[in-house]
Amino acid sequence: MKPSPSQEGTVNISKLDRSNSLCCSYAARRICAGYPGRRDAQIVLENLSAEFVGGKIYVLMGRNGCGKSTLLKVLAGELHPNAGSADFECESGRHSCSIEYLPQDYRQALFPWKTVLENVYPWDNTSDLVEDGFDLNSFKETKIKILSDFGLGAVCNGFPYKLSGGQQQLLLLARSVVSTARVILLDEPFSALDIIWRSLVSEHLRRDWRGRGKVVICVMHEPEEAAVLADEVVFLSGSPMSVAERIHRESESKASVKDFRAEIEKMIQEFAHGEHNDA
């Protein structure tokens, strides 16, 4: 059995970020996007608009091929839209922002020449860490504690290629905990994790991401995982894609999570029986 994150050694990252007082959001505005260079070129997103508020976790759900990953790529700046924009806004006005993007092929985000410990924060720029309230003198210890929370403390001096697929994904999720990015985008972030770590990581990430005022958007498929992690599930459908439904979690209580999961499962059944038009 996998060890659970230690309560004594857990780093409460949520208290470090000094941007919590700002109301921030990341919005897709009338985005049109597709893959025109392909033989089967098609428009995947057409005049799609959606807003995502900081301090909340959003899960995108929908049928295979509806455009969830395409939307994430546009929001991450990996795919340039044909029209429209993705805008980050704060109370003081529109700003550019840093983005942390974990693609489906998560190995692309690893730095193979750096150790596991170095991969937690692989960048040379430390000014963002200071701005976010991290103590640089103890940052190494902070990273070690986070790796221990994610079951990687014993391999922190090794290299990513020696890790299993699940451990590599845990490493990148650990990176997201200390990330100074304002927006975090994850495409199937638990795909390589076993059922035990999925449960442990969901609770850990929810606490840390929400507490720091991040805009967090994930693509997921499992209703149980979405119910534990998300504040809101956005159901997507159609070709081109549109927002079919948005459902919200009411509170942190177990009863609320149970009700939220039931509502997600009900919506999935409605999609399965064609009650939401995908045409």
Side-chain angles (χ1 to χ4, degrees), residues 114-120 140 143-144 147-148 152-159 163:
K114 292 180 178 286
T115 66
V116 170
L117 182 62
E118 291 168 337
N119 262 276
V120 176
K140 180 178 180 180
K143 292 191 295 181
I144 291 173
L147 285 173
S148 296
L152 300 172
V155 294
C156 64
N157 293 318
F159 289 88
L163 304 179

Side-chain angles (χ1 to χ4, degrees), residues 11 13 16 117-118 120-123 125-126 129-130 133-146 175 177-180 212:
V11 180
I13 301 296
L16 296 175
L117 182 62
E118 291 168 337
V120 176
Y121 191 84
W123 302 282
N125 182 9
T126 58
L129 290 171
V130 175
F134 286 98
D135 181 353
L136 296 182
N137 293 323
S138 61
F139 188 57
K140 180 178 180 180
E141 288 71 24
T142 298
K143 292 191 295 181
I144 291 173
K145 288 180 180 178
I146 292 169
R175 180 191 294 172
V177 172
V178 300
S179 174
T180 58
R212 301 181 68 206

